């Protein structure tokens, strides 16, 4: 494998940005991407063996995604942080925070980009970037609801307009994704509270359950938390109902992709 | 396991998917390059990506966009 200089990498990036990609460029890019192999294996291997988690790894970003990123942002190829990476999808936001803490403890050199409170064009997730010597490996940690939003945004970008996931394109899609992201933020804020309360009530019941007076009060509290949990589940179902309804009414251009109506 | 995916973004569909053992990453990466070179020669715009997951089922959960249509993506999970 060739060891490319930073200048060679960035010149390759300039050619990828222009779009006229030669065979020689594809081979060079392949060499560059393979140079992340060792760092990738170390990071993904440690997540599997030390944390017992099962991420889906992406040893190298696709050529299409690299070219698009170079065109979209004023960034050099050598500066792209997610050439290699992996993704973890966890059930809820509380588990997401736990996993982020584990990742920060597992690797010595990490940077955490938390897009949960400050989303990027509606995209909410946490990216933990691990540095292994001079190579970066991005670990995406998404809750299940954040994941639904991200996949939906990607799919609409594939089928309708690649600008959609970066807040561009038809206004309908921008509003639809923004509103959905806000609803998920609201749901997850509520989720955070009831999951935490549920745990605390269980702990208190285990500790003071033998005292009849305390037990009664704690059981009443437990029922209240269960009611909140039910309400949250209903809200979650309503969100999916709203999404299905919105997609039934999404704007279609004449002669547009048939794949949208699948 | 490693999965080499050729994806047609305009149609939102996987065109081909090939599996490799996780210990055979070199072959999978060579196959990825060969596929990219072939598509480039034919001037065909496809996304070619290599992913590693415990199983195809796990892959289908973390990368739903490749395998599901819009309606499937918004089914309550």
């Amino acid at each position: 494998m060739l060891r490319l200089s930073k200048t060679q990498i960035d010149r390759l990036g300039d050619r990828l940005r222009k779009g006229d990609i030669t065979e020689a460029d594809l081979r060079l890019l392949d060499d560059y991407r393979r140079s992340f192999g060792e760092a990738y294996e170390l990071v993904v291997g440690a997540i599997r063996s030390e944390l017992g988690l099962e991420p889906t790894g992406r040893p190298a970003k696709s050529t299409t995604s690299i070219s698009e990123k170079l065109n979209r942002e004023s960034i050099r190829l050598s500066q792209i942080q997610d050439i290699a990476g992996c993704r973890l999808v966890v059930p809820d936001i509380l588990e997401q925070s736990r996993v982020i803490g584990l990742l920060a403890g597992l690797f010595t050199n990490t940077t955490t980009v938390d897009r949960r409170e400050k989303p990027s064009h509606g995209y909410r997730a946490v990216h933990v970037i691990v540095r292994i010597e001079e190579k970066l490996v991005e670990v995406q940690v998404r809750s299940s609801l954040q994941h639904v939003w991200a996949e939906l945004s990607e799919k609409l970008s594939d089928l309708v307009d690649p600008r959609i996931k970066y807040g561009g394109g038809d206004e309908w899609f921008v509003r639809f994704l923004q509103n959905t992201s806000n609803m998920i933020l609201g749901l997850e804020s509520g989720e955070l509270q009831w999951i935490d309360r549920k745990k605390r009530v269980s702990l208190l019941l285990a500790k003071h359950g033998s005292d009849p007076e305390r037990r009664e009060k704690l059981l009443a509290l437990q029922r209240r938390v269960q009611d909140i949990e039910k309400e949250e589940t209903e809200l979650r179902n309503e969100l999916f109902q709203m999404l299905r309804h919105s997609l039934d009414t999404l704007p279609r251009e004449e002669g547009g992709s048939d794949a949208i109506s699948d | 396991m490693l999965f080499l995916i050729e994806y047609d973004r305009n149609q939102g569909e996987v065109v081909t998917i090939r599996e490799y053992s996780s210990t055979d990453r070199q072959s999978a990466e060579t196959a990825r390059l060969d596929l990219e070179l072939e598509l480039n020669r034919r001037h065909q715009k496809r996304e070619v990506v290599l992913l590693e997951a415990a199983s195809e089922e796990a892959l289908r959960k973390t990368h739903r966009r490749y395998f599901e249509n819009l309606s499937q993506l918004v089914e309550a999970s």
Side-chain angles (χ1 to χ4, degrees):
Chain A
M1 187 165 42
L2 279 175
R3 187 172 164 83
L4 300 168
S5 70
K6 200 165 168 289
T7 310
Q8 280 177 309
I9 296 162
D10 290 332
R11 281 188 183 150
L12 170 64
D14 291 340
R15 296 195 294 277
L16 291 173
R17 189 179 278 118
K18 283 174 191 156
D20 190 19
I21 308 170
T22 64
E23 284 205 10
D25 288 339
L26 283 174
R27 288 182 195 280
L28 267 184
L29 182 62
D30 189 61
D31 267 331
Y32 179 54
R33 287 187 295 202
R34 286 192 200 212
S35 70
F36 286 78
E38 214 171 299
Y40 162 83
E41 281 193 356
L42 212 146
V43 170
V44 173
I47 293 172
R48 286 187 179 131
S49 63
E50 302 299 317
L51 304 184
L53 299 171
E54 199 47 73
T56 293
R58 195 208 53 203
K61 198 175 179 75
S62 74
T63 304
T64 317
S65 299
I66 290 174
S67 299
E68 283 176 354
K69 191 160 196 160
L70 290 168
N71 270 301
R72 199 173 56 242
E73 299 170 21
S74 54
I75 190 171
R76 292 195 294 272
L77 178 56
S78 63
Q79 293 175 314
I80 293 182
Q81 295 191 343
D82 61 346
I83 293 288
C86 64
R87 179 178 298 164
L88 285 160
V89 180
V90 297
D92 54 59
I93 195 164
L94 212 68
E95 177 63 5
Q96 185 179 35
S97 296
R98 192 184 75 88
V99 168
I100 294 155
L102 291 175
L103 289 168
L106 181 61
F107 302 105
T108 48
N109 197 344
T110 63
T111 308
T112 301
V113 182
D114 192 338
R115 293 202 178 95
R116 288 179 296 185
E117 296 302 324
K118 286 183 183 170
S120 168
H121 307 293
Y123 176 71
R124 295 175 59 249
V126 179
H127 293 185
V128 178
I129 298 140
V130 185
R131 179 181 284 277
I132 305 288
E133 295 179 358
E134 86 275 26
K135 297 293 183 192
L136 301 175
V137 179
E138 182 189 84
V139 186
Q140 294 179 359
V141 189
R142 295 176 178 173
S143 72
S144 59
L145 284 176
Q146 292 163 12
H147 184 51
V148 168
W149 186 95
E151 295 280 329
L152 192 56
S153 163
E154 291 261 8
K155 194 80 186 185
L156 284 170
S157 300
D158 290 341
L159 297 175
V160 183
D161 184 337
R163 292 173 299 175
I164 285 176
K165 66 177 170 178
Y166 300 104
D170 188 302
E171 185 61 24
W172 188 94
F173 294 102
V174 176
R175 268 188 284 116
F176 167 68
L177 287 171
Q178 193 57 59
N179 290 342
T180 308
S181 176
N182 290 342
M183 285 174 77
I184 292 174
L185 172 63
L187 265 175
E188 290 196 325
S189 303
E191 202 176 68
L192 202 58
Q193 287 175 24
W194 73 253
I195 295 174
D196 187 46
R197 281 178 196 167
K198 194 177 170 178
K199 277 187 181 169
R200 277 197 287 171
V201 172
S202 295
L203 282 173
L204 287 170
L205 264 172
K207 198 174 173 185
H208 306 294
S210 54
D211 176 345
E213 201 180 326
R214 276 186 165 182
R215 182 177 169 79
E216 204 171 313
K217 280 181 185 169
L218 285 168
L219 285 175
L221 200 58
Q222 193 177 48
R223 282 193 292 276
R224 176 69 196 122
V225 174
Q226 283 166 347
D227 286 344
I228 298 171
E229 185 177 355
K230 266 188 212 161
E231 283 167 24
E232 284 285 327
T233 307
E234 279 166 25
L235 283 174
R236 199 180 165 115
N237 290 336
E238 277 174 27
L239 167 75
F240 281 97
Q241 244 172 8
M242 183 281 289
L243 289 176
R244 285 193 291 275
H245 175 73
S246 298
L247 290 178
D248 284 342
T249 59
L250 65 78
R252 289 174 170 81
E253 283 178 32
E254 278 196 34
S257 172
D258 289 341
I260 288 180
S261 55
D262 280 351
Chain B
M1 291 178 77
L2 288 159
F3 299 89
L4 178 62
I5 296 173
E6 178 189 354
Y7 176 70
D8 183 334
R9 284 190 177 182
N10 291 330
Q11 291 303 312
E13 285 173 359
V14 168
V15 181
T16 60
I17 179 164
R18 276 185 271 173
E19 288 180 26
Y20 297 84
S21 154
S22 284
T23 53
D24 202 11
R25 198 147 69 85
Q26 209 162 353
S27 300
E29 285 179 336
T30 303
R32 179 189 63 198
L33 175 63
D34 290 343
L35 180 57
E36 285 202 320
L37 291 170
E38 180 57 27
L39 290 167
N40 195 50
R41 272 181 221 123
R42 299 200 320 242
H43 302 289
Q44 269 189 310
K45 287 209 167 188
R46 296 269 164 77
E47 184 173 335
V48 177
V49 67
L50 189 63
L51 296 168
E52 185 181 19
S55 63
E56 187 172 329
E57 194 191 350
L59 173 73
R60 284 175 178 270
K61 281 183 186 160
T62 54
H63 290 74
R64 297 175 62 185
R65 157 202 175 216
Y66 292 125
F67 304 99
E68 296 180 28
N69 61 34
L70 284 170
S71 309
Q72 290 166 324
L73 285 178
V74 296
E75 276 169 20
S77 49

